[in-house]
Amino acid sequence: MKRKKIKISDVLIYAFLLFCGLICLIPIINTVAISFSDRTSAAMGAVKLWPVNFTLMSYKNMMKETQFWTSFLVSVKRVIIGVFLNMVLSVLMAYPLSKSPIKFRSKKIYMWTVVFTMLFSGGLVPTFMVINHLRLMDTFWALVLPGAVPVFNIIILMNFFKALPESLEESAYVDGAGPWTVLLKIYLPLSKASLATISLFAIVNHWNAYFDGKIYINSLNRLPLQTYIQSLAASINTNMMASMTAEEIQEQLAVSSLTFNSAKVIVSMIPILLIYPFLQRYFVSGMVVGAVKE
Amino acid sequence: MESNKLKVKNIKFTKTTRYRQLPYHLMMLPGMIFLIIFHIVPMGGLIMAFQNYIPIKGLIHSDFVGLKNFQRLFRLPTFWSVLRNTIIISVGKLVLVTIVAITFAILLNECRNVKFKRLVQTTVYLPHFLSWVILAVMFSNIFSYSGIINQLGGLFGKEPVMFMISNSWFRRILIGGEVWKEFGYSAIVYVAAMTGIDPTLYEAAGIDGANRLKKILYITLPSIVPTIVLMTTLNMGKILSGGFDQVFNLYSPLVYRTGDIIDTYVYRMGLVDLQYSNGTAVGLFKSLISFILLIAAYKIADKTVGYRVF
């Protein structure tokens, strides 16, 4: 009876989904194409989705630029130390917070403090002044310490811990284990998926951060990569444009290192592109746990 | 109820449970130290909003001026235009991201080819993980005078537009950009909600002669309404945010009129022009309203769909 027919609705659905996928990729492809094109073609806007007059010039120039690589290494260091700190603190805080108030009587006070800091903040200026007073200004630690406690990640992990069967813990206690043993030997091995999710969030967060680098760091050898790229982009846009006419702006954009910047942007994306496919199967569950779990 | 209470009391007073509290406190300690130093202490700095703060005098010796900073603020025409921009941009983003995410999720749910589905999902999540610093460079490429968008417009006989410095376009680009970056990621929750729908509902509807569109309209959509309500309420707290990273990386003095939002205004006033007290006052205004909105949203979410964070 049933014969496979191609339905119009199916065609429309596939077309729409394909369109969604493509639209997300086009700006990236366009930038890749520009980075491999020669300057004049890029400035004239001849480049669309494929390089025009293919050249590796901008990548070669980038190899020679020490500031880019210095900043790249600062960001790598930041991710390693920052994520380590985030993960240790998340695990340590999520475990006691996942207990019921019966087992951990002060839980509610801690929970309220943690959530309150997530919902309300001193704002930009007071935070800046605290960092200044602590003499963290222009140090690497200004980048990792203020965000050491990732509250949202803690809530995801806490919800995951809560869902683990209580009998696991009870039986471990009967066998003479304490909370530390339970956390390290039972909870952690069971929560690999959740840990992967929140570490992805932490990695992306540290890699993408630029603003703290902008306001706290002055020395070029401590500048994180995104802050460095931001300063390049901003130097053409904001500062000059105000006093220029439309023609001048256009000219400025044409002579600016469009291809060079595009190459830097592409290289700075590579770490994200590398970890993303491995961890993405986890973050879907993490995201859902964080958002819709009770 | 009564017996439960008794039980609780008994557990509370056994020696082992009391002894077990200590490791918990120890575990909380390092994180709490960081929270106190970097989050609680700065809240004390909010006093600046009620002072005429002078750096050499310090926080303790600066003169108190009461609500004067706020009064001055509310008289500034720039403040009101900034507030207006923020709300227009946030609400636009909230509404459009939701609509596009839901549409996308529904059509993804209708797609039966698993491999194709995976492929599309993987690509649409990607922009969420890229920073606005990087995306700003990409945006200025595609929206530039000779960029791909203007070329596309040229095919339809449109004059090229300087998108990034045009006050009439800037907000649309901000909102469109956010939709582009986040629709896939926002769809995750809706996709997850749809997997929970009972398949027999669709079968029964099919027997009753419902076509695909009708199944979507009368089964899929109503089933995800609680999730939509939840996500929308939870986003209410962001209404005074507008997305600092995006605006900061895309805007220029030429589009301050339509694109300046509270957070960028605070940054320029507080850290660029060094008007500490005024910057803090605007920041406090924002934090306070956002906090109230968020608490209200959580209350509504709890009442309507039974959502609780903890």
Side-chain angles (χ1 to χ4, degrees):
Chain A
M1 259 307 265
K2 262 192 183 171
R3 208 162 55 86
K4 257 210 165 167
K5 267 196 306 184
I6 300 172
K7 282 194 232 155
I8 302 172
S9 58
D10 269 322
V11 174
L12 285 177
I13 287 165
Y14 278 92
F16 176 83
L17 293 177
L18 198 66
F19 173 78
C20 287
L22 283 179
I23 236 117
C24 287
L25 285 182
I26 281 173
I28 301 172
I29 297 173
N30 180 239
T31 308
V32 174
I34 288 176
S35 74
F36 282 113
S37 303
D38 76 322
R39 275 182 175 211
T40 12
S41 321
M44 284 184 341
V47 185
K48 286 171 195 87
L49 299 178
W50 200 251
V52 178
N53 296 331
F54 182 89
T55 165
L56 289 172
M57 222 25 227
S58 35
Y59 288 90
K60 276 185 189 149
N61 281 336
M62 195 171 56
M63 288 295 175
K64 282 182 276 181
E65 185 159 315
T66 44
Q67 183 61 50
F68 180 83
W69 298 108
T70 313
S71 293
F72 197 94
L73 287 179
V74 171
S75 281
V76 170
K77 183 181 162 199
R78 172 182 187 162
V79 167
I80 293 170
I81 298 176
V83 171
F84 176 76
L85 199 61
N86 282 168
M87 293 305 287
V88 170
L89 291 173
S90 307
V91 169
L92 284 183
M93 293 182 84
Y95 176 67
L97 289 178
S98 70
K99 300 293 141 216
S100 66
I102 301 166
K103 286 189 176 163
F104 181 31
R105 262 181 281 161
S106 327
K107 181 212 161 173
K108 280 209 161 162
I109 304 167
Y110 282 119
M111 195 69 219
W112 278 110
T113 320
V114 169
V115 171
F116 185 66
T117 57
M118 183 171 76
L119 304 183
F120 190 78
S121 77
L124 183 63
V125 181
T127 309
F128 177 84
M129 298 187 107
V130 166
I131 306 279
N132 199 4
H133 271 284
L134 292 171
R135 298 184 187 281
L136 288 176
M137 213 49 111
D138 205 21
T139 64
F140 172 77
W141 299 107
L143 304 176
V144 289
L145 296 186
V149 183
V151 177
F152 182 72
N153 293 357
I154 291 176
I155 291 176
I156 293 178
L157 195 60
M158 183 192 82
N159 279 329
F160 187 83
F161 283 163
K162 261 189 197 163
L164 293 176
E166 220 167 307
S167 49
L168 270 176
E169 191 176 53
E170 295 300 334
S171 62
Y173 280 146
V174 170
D175 291 341
W180 288 98
T181 326
V182 171
L183 173 60
L184 297 176
K185 295 263 167 71
I186 300 175
Y187 274 49
L188 283 192
L190 284 175
S191 18
K192 279 183 194 137
S194 266
L195 293 173
T197 311
I198 65 168
S199 59
L200 173 75
F201 289 154
I203 293 170
V204 171
N205 194 19
H206 276 293
W207 185 261
N208 282 347
Y210 70 97
F211 190 66
D212 40 12
K214 191 176 172 65
I215 58 178
Y216 301 138
I217 305 289
N218 303 316
S219 313
L220 288 176
N221 60 347
R222 294 192 199 98
L223 207 62
L225 185 62
Q226 302 281 332
T227 315
Y228 165 72
I229 292 176
Q230 201 271 335
S231 69
L232 294 179
S235 63
I236 349 168
N237 287 329
T238 337
N239 299 339
M240 301 176 183
M241 273 187 180
S243 55
M244 288 194 298
T245 64
E247 284 76 30
E248 279 174 327
I249 290 168
Q250 205 183 317
E251 211 171 296
Q252 184 63 40
L253 286 175
V255 293
S256 76
S257 22
L258 192 65
T259 56
F260 198 22
N261 283 355
S262 300
K264 285 175 185 163
V265 158
I266 296 303
V267 174
S268 80
M269 270 171 58
I270 288 174
I272 296 283
L273 293 180
L274 287 181
I275 56 155
Y276 168 72
F278 294 104
L279 292 175
Q280 74 124 347
R281 66 196 173 106
Y282 294 120
F283 75 68
V284 173
S285 61
M287 162 87 183
V288 173
V289 167
V292 290
K293 185 86 193 290
E294 43 187 297
Chain B
M1 198 59 201
E2 200 60 58
S3 64
N4 257 344
K5 260 188 188 164
L6 236 116
K7 238 184 181 173
V8 169
K9 265 193 178 161
N10 281 338
I11 294 169
K12 259 189 182 172
F13 285 106
T14 55
K15 216 176 173 185
T16 42
T17 16
R18 189 176 294 173
Y19 167 73
R20 265 179 211 145
Q21 312 263 314
L22 186 66
Y24 292 152
H25 287 290
L26 281 178
M27 287 172 184
M28 295 299 296
L29 187 68
M32 291 311 284
I33 292 175
F34 279 109
L35 278 187
I36 289 169
I37 296 177
F38 293 105
H39 294 272
I40 311 272
V41 171
M43 289 179 198
L46 287 171
I47 304 174
M48 272 190 286
F50 307 99
Q51 286 180 329
N52 179 17
Y53 180 79
I54 294 162
I56 16 168
K57 282 189 177 174
L59 202 60
I60 300 167
H61 301 287
S62 289
D63 303 323
F64 273 89
V65 293
L67 293 173
K68 228 173 167 183
N69 289 326
F70 291 93
Q71 286 168 350
R72 184 161 2 123
L73 198 69
F74 294 147
R75 276 200 300 267
L76 278 179
T78 29
F79 174 77
W80 293 108
S81 86
V82 164
L83 187 63
R84 212 181 121 229
N85 288 342
T86 313
I87 293 173
I88 294 176
I89 293 168
S90 309
V91 173
K93 283 177 178 178
L94 183 61
V95 172
L96 277 177
V97 170
T98 311
I99 292 175
V100 175
I102 292 169
T103 317
F104 173 74
I106 287 176
L107 292 180
L108 194 72
N109 192 45
E110 292 294 316
C111 173
R112 298 280 164 254
N113 186 333
V114 181
K115 270 189 185 161
F116 181 74
K117 213 165 149 176
R118 284 270 154 76
L119 194 71
V120 172
Q121 275 178 302
T122 312
T123 28
V124 297
Y125 298 158
L126 182 61
H128 171 81
F129 291 93
L130 303 176
S131 75
W132 269 115
V133 172
I134 284 178
L135 294 179
V137 174
M138 291 185 184
F139 270 51
S140 61
N141 285 348
I142 57 171
F143 284 107
S144 74
Y145 194 72
S146 49
I148 202 164
I149 301 281
N150 268 325
Q151 303 227 350
L152 200 68
L155 293 181
F156 298 101
K158 293 226 168 74
E159 284 293 308
V161 185
M162 310 274 283
F163 286 106
M164 302 307 275
I165 53 167
S166 148
N167 273 304
S168 53
W169 279 97
F170 192 66
R171 270 190 213 138
R172 289 178 228 179
I173 289 176
L174 290 181
I175 295 171
E178 179 81 3
V179 172
W180 173 80
K181 188 175 190 280
E182 300 297 341
F183 83 88
Y185 195 72
S186 312
I188 292 178
V189 210
Y190 301 114
V191 172
M194 284 174 205
T195 52
I197 301 174
D198 185 359
T200 52
L201 284 176
Y202 290 105
E203 279 165 34
I207 291 164
D208 288 347
N211 61 21
R212 204 166 195 172
L213 189 67
K214 282 198 168 142
K215 284 181 195 166
I216 292 175
L217 285 178
Y218 298 114
I219 300 173
T220 316
L221 257 180
S223 310
I224 59 165
V225 163
T227 316
I228 300 173
V229 173
L230 176 67
M231 296 316 282
T232 315
T233 31
L234 295 187
N235 280 324
M236 293 304 278
K238 290 187 200 148
I239 273 194
L240 290 191
S241 288
F244 176 82
D245 288 345
Q246 184 196 18
V247 179
F248 187 73
N249 284 298
L250 290 177
Y251 83 160
S252 62
L254 294 178
V255 286
Y256 279 174
R257 187 162 63 79
T258 52
D260 204 8
I261 58 169
I262 295 179
D263 287 338
T264 50
Y265 188 60
V266 170
Y267 167 73
R268 288 206 316 280
M269 197 157 32
L271 298 186
V272 181
D273 302 337
L274 304 181
Q275 303 179 31
Y276 296 115
S277 284
N278 289 334
T280 311
V282 185
L284 178 59
F285 172 80
K286 186 209 146 182
S287 296
L288 215 60
I289 305 272
S290 303
F291 183 70
I292 295 168
L293 285 175
L294 207 63
I295 295 296
Y298 278 122
K299 280 256 160 19
I300 296 171
D302 187 17
K303 286 262 159 63
T304 52
V305 281
Y307 172 88
R308 309 198 59 165
V309 211
F310 48 87

